[in-house]
């Protein structure tokens, strides 16, 4: 029945019931939309690659850790330049914004990053307007008031009212704490500098890192030696072994699309073949930024019951090894690895008859549950002790350092929440429209997310022209899904915390009811079968220290 309903609804949503001029209009709109989203993404990649900042003076490197300096030197060398080269790829941009003591250079980087695709050769401004309008027109062809309503009828949230209810709940719960976090950072910055000044967005990562280090004596450079990539990989794979009995065996005979990509055959506890996992960890000039999981071949069963197993890849943009150091991950990159690996498990452990219902072929606001669920382990000592050893000495990560990770886990958590809420509000503003947009994109954006902004908005910047998730990716009218899934993952992991984070019975239930079911049943039915109740926001508030 699920396949019948999904197939019918999919055909209807692709215009099968449209007649005559409306069918032709739908065909033209979808063709145009495909080209628009492709151009949007290409423009963003080209704009990102077009910026470089070459530093040649020692004072310009003030505050940067040696790892960032070495990476910048290697980047310059690879491009035939002398000095230290920084660009807008995250392994370069992120550490620079976090550590550089040069406020003028941080501002330069921030403005370059956040003003991409507004003017010139790679301008996405008109494309943003047209994508929103085309999607609105498609929704109206389907009898819906706007694109959000059209999209959300195939989501757990069901409608925009429920989305706004979640976003507003989070806004109300987290904004007071977020404002306090900003006051604390500003006060700390004034104390450091000995003068009053306006805390700007390009200051946030720098002074936050300094305050976090002062409060908890913890920063990425202290943790990175314990997170060497190959050890982290063994730890993450080992977590799947402990929870689900999976084993990962590298197979060099499997063809890969780039020499840096590795292929692993995956087997279960009974040595039964599960699938293939490809890993692609480092940035390249032709590779887009960010991190994601892709399904090359989904899982399905033929008419004789033969199980065709999936081929899955996880892609990241982790800092490369240097001449004298292996690839050392930040704590945030460890979380990213766990996140994408969670998606891969959703694909690998699929057990459905039909490919269209297997693995990650679920509602968009449910698909992030397995990935965000895995991130919870990054803070657990029992997990960290399985792999986190110093890359030079082999020393296990000290308990006191793990405790500092725990103590600092909710540092600026409210600010981070409001940032996600702001993106959700902006997304919904673009896709709850029922008339074409003819105004100024930046002014519209500013109004859309104003109540979630707690740092000054820089006039020259614009998120919409580079917001690939909602204009070139699969999250149009769906960016709220990250927070929706965070409510689910906090609620789900609270059961593991009660019963043991490696509890085999709870892990088996999660596998059977969540990871293996795909889209064969409504996600709320699956979740309640695992958890025994509908999720509430309470577990998230408790985890974040908002509710005590």
């Amino acid at each position: 029945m699920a396949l019948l309903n999904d197939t019918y609804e999919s055909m209807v949503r692709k215009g099968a019931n449209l007649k005559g001029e409306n069918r032709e209009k739908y065909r033209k709109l979808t063709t145009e939309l495909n080209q628009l989203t492709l151009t949007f993404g290409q423009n963003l990649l080209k704009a990102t690659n077009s910026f470089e900042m070459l530093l040649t003076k020692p004072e310009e490197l003030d505050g940067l850790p040696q790892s960032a300096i070495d990476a910048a030197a290697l980047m310059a060398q690879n491009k035939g330049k002398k000095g230290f080269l920084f660009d807008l790829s995250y392994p370069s941009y992120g550490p620079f914004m976090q550590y550089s003591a040069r406020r003028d250079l941080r501002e330069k980087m921030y403005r370059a990053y956040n003003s991409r695709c507004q003017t010139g050769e790679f301008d996405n401004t008109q494309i943003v307007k047209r994508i929103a309008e085309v999607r609105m027109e498609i929704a109206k062809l389907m009898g819906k008031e706007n694109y959000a309503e059209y999209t959300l009828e195939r989501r757990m949230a069901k409608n925009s009212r429920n989305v706004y209810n979640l976003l507003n709940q989070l806004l109300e719960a987290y904004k007071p704490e977020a404002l306090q976090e900003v006051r604390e950072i500003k006060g700390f910055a004034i104390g450091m500098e000995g003068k009053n000044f306006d805390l700007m967005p390009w200051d946030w990562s720098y002074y936050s890192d300094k305050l976090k280090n002062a409060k908890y004596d913890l920063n990425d450079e202290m943790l990175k030696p314990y997170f060497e990539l190959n050890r982290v990989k063994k730890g993450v794979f080992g977590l799947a072994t402990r929870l689900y009995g999976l084993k990962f065996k590298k197979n060099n005979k499997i063809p890969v699309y780039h020499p840096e990509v590795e292929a692993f055959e995956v087997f279960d506890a009974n040595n039964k073949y599960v699938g293939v996992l490809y890993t692609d960890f480092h940035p390249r000039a032709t590779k887009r930024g960010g991190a994601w999981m892709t399904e090359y071949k989904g899982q399905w069963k033929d008419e004789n019951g033969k199980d065709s197993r999936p081929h899955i890849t996880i892609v990241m943009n982790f800092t490369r090894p240097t001449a004298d150091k292996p690839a050392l991950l930040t704590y945030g990159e460890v979380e990213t690895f766990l996140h994408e690996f969670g998606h891969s498990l959703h694909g690998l452990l699929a057990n459905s008859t039909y490919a269209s219902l297997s693995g990650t072929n679920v509602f968009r606001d449910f698909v992030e549950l397995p990935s965000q669920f895995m991130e919870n382990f990054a803070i657990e000592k029992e997990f960290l002790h399985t792999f986190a050893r110093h890359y030079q000495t082999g020393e296990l990560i000290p308990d006191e350092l793990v405790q500092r990770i725990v103590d600092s886990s909710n540092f600026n958590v409210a600010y981070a929440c409001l940032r996600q809420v702001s993106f959700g509000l902006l997304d919904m503003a673009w896709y709850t429209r029922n008339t074409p947009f003819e105004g100024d994109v930046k002014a519209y954006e500013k109004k859309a997310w104003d109540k979630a902004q707690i740092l000054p908005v820089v006039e020259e910047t614009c998120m919409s022209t580079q917001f690939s998730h909602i204009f070139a990716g699969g999250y149009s009218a769906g960016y709220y899904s990250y927070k929706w899934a965070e409510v689910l993952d906090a609620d789900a992991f609270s059961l593991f915390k009660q019963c043991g984070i490696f509890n085999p019975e709870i892990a088996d239930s999660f596998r059977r009811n969540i990871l293996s079911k795909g889209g064969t049943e409504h996600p709320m039915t699956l979740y309640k079968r695992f958890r025994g109740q509908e999720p509430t926001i309470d577990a998230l508030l408790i985890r974040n220290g908002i509710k005590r």
Side-chain angles (χ1 to χ4, degrees):
M1 183 60 73
L3 177 65
L4 180 62
N5 288 337
D6 275 20
T7 303
Y8 175 76
E9 289 181 13
S10 176
M11 292 176 67
V12 169
R13 292 170 69 83
K14 291 179 180 177
N17 283 348
L18 297 176
K19 309 293 183 183
E21 291 183 3
N22 283 344
R23 175 170 288 193
E24 180 61 18
K25 183 178 181 181
Y26 176 81
R27 186 189 67 78
K28 289 181 178 179
L29 287 171
T30 53
T31 300
E32 181 184 4
L33 182 61
N34 289 336
Q35 184 58 55
L36 286 167
T37 56
L38 178 62
T39 303
F40 183 103
Q42 290 175 335
N43 282 346
L44 181 57
L45 180 60
K46 291 173 183 176
T48 300
N49 289 339
S50 69
F51 176 87
E52 292 179 347
M53 185 174 70
L54 183 65
L55 305 182
T56 58
K57 301 175 183 178
E59 61 268 24
E60 293 175 322
L61 304 175
D62 189 18
L64 293 173
Q66 193 61 45
S67 59
I69 294 172
D70 291 344
L74 181 61
M75 187 185 297
Q77 180 183 331
N78 290 341
K79 294 196 174 185
K81 300 181 180 182
K82 293 183 178 180
F84 305 88
L85 192 64
F86 295 87
D87 63 16
L88 301 182
S89 65
Y90 197 78
S92 180
Y93 177 80
F96 192 90
M97 297 303 293
Q98 184 174 353
Y99 295 114
S100 174
R102 287 290 298 270
R103 194 184 191 209
D104 58 332
L105 297 180
R106 293 201 311 270
E107 180 179 355
K108 181 179 180 180
M109 289 284 279
Y110 178 87
R111 289 184 182 276
Y113 190 91
N114 290 281
S115 61
R116 289 173 295 172
C117 301
Q118 289 188 61
T119 59
E121 184 181 0
F122 311 126
D123 189 358
N124 276 336
T125 305
Q126 296 305 316
I127 294 175
V128 163
K129 294 181 181 181
R130 186 56 186 158
I131 287 176
E133 184 174 354
V134 168
R135 284 178 168 149
M136 180 196 71
E137 291 181 19
I138 289 173
K140 288 191 172 184
L141 275 179
M142 300 300 173
K144 302 299 179 182
E145 182 181 358
N146 55 56
Y147 190 74
E149 299 307 320
Y150 168 68
T151 297
L152 292 168
E153 70 176 0
R154 294 284 295 164
R155 301 287 188 267
M156 285 182 77
K158 297 182 180 179
N159 54 57
S160 58
R161 183 182 65 255
N162 290 334
V163 172
Y164 276 117
N165 181 55
L166 171 66
L167 296 176
N168 288 328
Q169 274 189 317
L170 294 172
L171 191 63
E172 181 181 359
Y174 284 83
K175 189 169 184 177
E177 184 65 26
L179 291 171
Q180 177 57 35
E181 290 171 354
V182 170
R183 286 191 291 269
E184 186 178 24
I185 296 291
K186 183 174 182 178
F188 181 79
I190 291 171
M192 272 188 65
E193 304 300 335
K195 59 182 180 180
N196 197 3
F197 69 98
D198 291 330
L199 185 72
M200 298 301 292
W202 50 81
D203 299 318
W204 182 259
S205 293
Y206 178 74
Y207 289 109
S208 291
D209 180 72
K210 294 293 182 289
L211 176 58
K212 184 177 182 180
N213 196 17
K215 291 181 72 171
Y216 305 106
D217 190 21
L218 185 72
N219 58 51
D220 280 336
E221 292 307 303
M222 296 168 63
L223 294 174
K224 284 168 69 173
Y226 297 96
F227 296 143
E228 189 270 322
L229 177 56
N230 286 319
R231 286 191 181 275
V232 176
K233 183 167 59 178
K234 291 178 181 178
V236 173
F237 287 178
L239 177 58
T241 302
R242 194 158 182 180
L243 290 174
Y244 310 116
L246 301 182
K247 290 171 281 187
F248 298 80
K249 298 181 180 179
K250 186 177 177 181
N251 187 336
N252 292 323
K253 295 181 180 180
I254 297 176
V256 293
Y257 58 86
H258 190 276
E260 293 182 337
V261 176
E262 294 181 316
F264 297 85
E265 289 184 297
V266 185
F267 299 88
D268 68 12
N270 298 314
N271 290 319
K272 183 178 179 182
Y273 174 66
V274 171
V276 176
L277 176 68
Y278 302 85
T279 61
D280 182 357
F281 288 121
H282 301 297
R284 297 183 291 274
T286 56
K287 178 179 172 183
R288 68 180 171 93
W292 64 92
M293 165 268 192
T294 297
E295 175 186 274
Y296 291 136
K297 183 177 84 70
Q299 178 270 334
W300 55 278
K301 297 175 183 177
D302 65 18
E303 62 273 16
N304 297 316
K306 183 179 179 181
D307 195 352
S308 179
R309 299 307 303 170
H311 291 191
I312 306 294
T313 184
I314 52 175
V315 184
M316 267 72 77
N317 278 275
F318 295 152
T319 303
R320 289 182 173 280
T322 63
D324 58 351
K325 286 183 181 179
L328 302 176
L329 306 191
T330 66
Y331 180 75
E333 287 175 327
V334 174
E335 290 180 307
T336 298
F337 193 161
L338 285 164
H339 180 102
E340 299 306 332
F341 188 69
H343 282 310
S344 76
L345 291 177
H346 203 181
L348 287 167
L349 295 175
N351 185 29
S352 303
T353 301
Y354 305 104
S356 63
L357 298 176
S358 75
T360 57
N361 291 300
V362 299
F363 286 175
R364 178 68 70 177
D365 48 7
F366 190 63
V367 76
E368 295 296 337
L369 168 60
S371 55
Q372 293 183 191
F373 166 80
M374 290 295 285
E375 291 183 46
N376 286 278
F377 287 94
I379 201 173
E380 297 294 333
K381 183 171 73 172
E382 288 179 84
F383 170 61
L384 292 173
H385 276 187
T386 64
F387 70 93
R389 292 183 176 274
H390 197 284
Y391 79 101
Q392 291 175 314
T393 67
E395 174 199 16
L396 188 66
I397 188 170
D399 285 352
E400 62 174 353
L401 204 52
V402 175
Q403 188 58 49
R404 284 183 237 164
I405 295 175
V406 174
D407 293 341
S408 65
S409 61
N410 284 328
F411 180 70
N412 287 345
V413 69
Y415 172 87
C417 177
L418 258 63
R419 185 172 182 270
Q420 291 295 95
V421 168
S422 73
F423 293 160
L425 291 171
L426 179 59
D427 175 32
M428 293 303 290
W430 280 114
Y431 293 119
T432 52
R433 295 188 58 82
N434 53 23
T435 58
F437 181 76
E438 302 294 342
D440 180 82
V441 169
K442 286 194 289 188
Y444 185 72
E445 174 177 296
K446 184 177 181 180
K447 182 178 179 181
W449 65 7
D450 180 66
K451 60 184 179 180
Q453 294 297 315
I454 52 177
L455 288 177
V457 175
V458 180
E459 293 299 327
E460 297 90 335
T461 63
C462 183
M463 177 67 179
S464 297
T465 57
Q466 55 185 298
F467 202 171
S468 58
H469 273 75
I470 71 167
F471 287 111
Y475 282 84
S476 48
Y479 198 87
Y480 75 92
S481 299
Y482 288 102
K483 299 309 295 184
W484 186 278
E486 195 172 355
V487 170
L488 295 178
D489 88 65
D491 189 69
F493 197 71
S494 68
L495 185 59
F496 279 80
K497 291 289 284 185
Q498 293 171 22
C499 303
I501 64 169
F502 301 122
N503 185 288
E505 289 79 17
I506 303 301
D508 181 64
S509 177
F510 192 77
R511 174 179 179 167
R512 285 184 292 102
N513 293 306
I514 305 295
L515 297 177
S516 70
K517 289 293 187 179
T520 56
E521 296 182 70
H522 192 281
M524 188 59 79
T525 301
L526 297 177
Y527 187 82
K528 286 164 61 177
R529 190 178 297 149
F530 159 70
R531 188 65 178 89
Q533 63 185 41
E534 289 194 5
T536 70
I537 195 175
D538 291 347
L540 179 61
L541 295 180
I542 292 170
R543 185 176 73 186
N544 289 162
I546 303 298
K547 181 178 180 180
R548 296 174 175 84

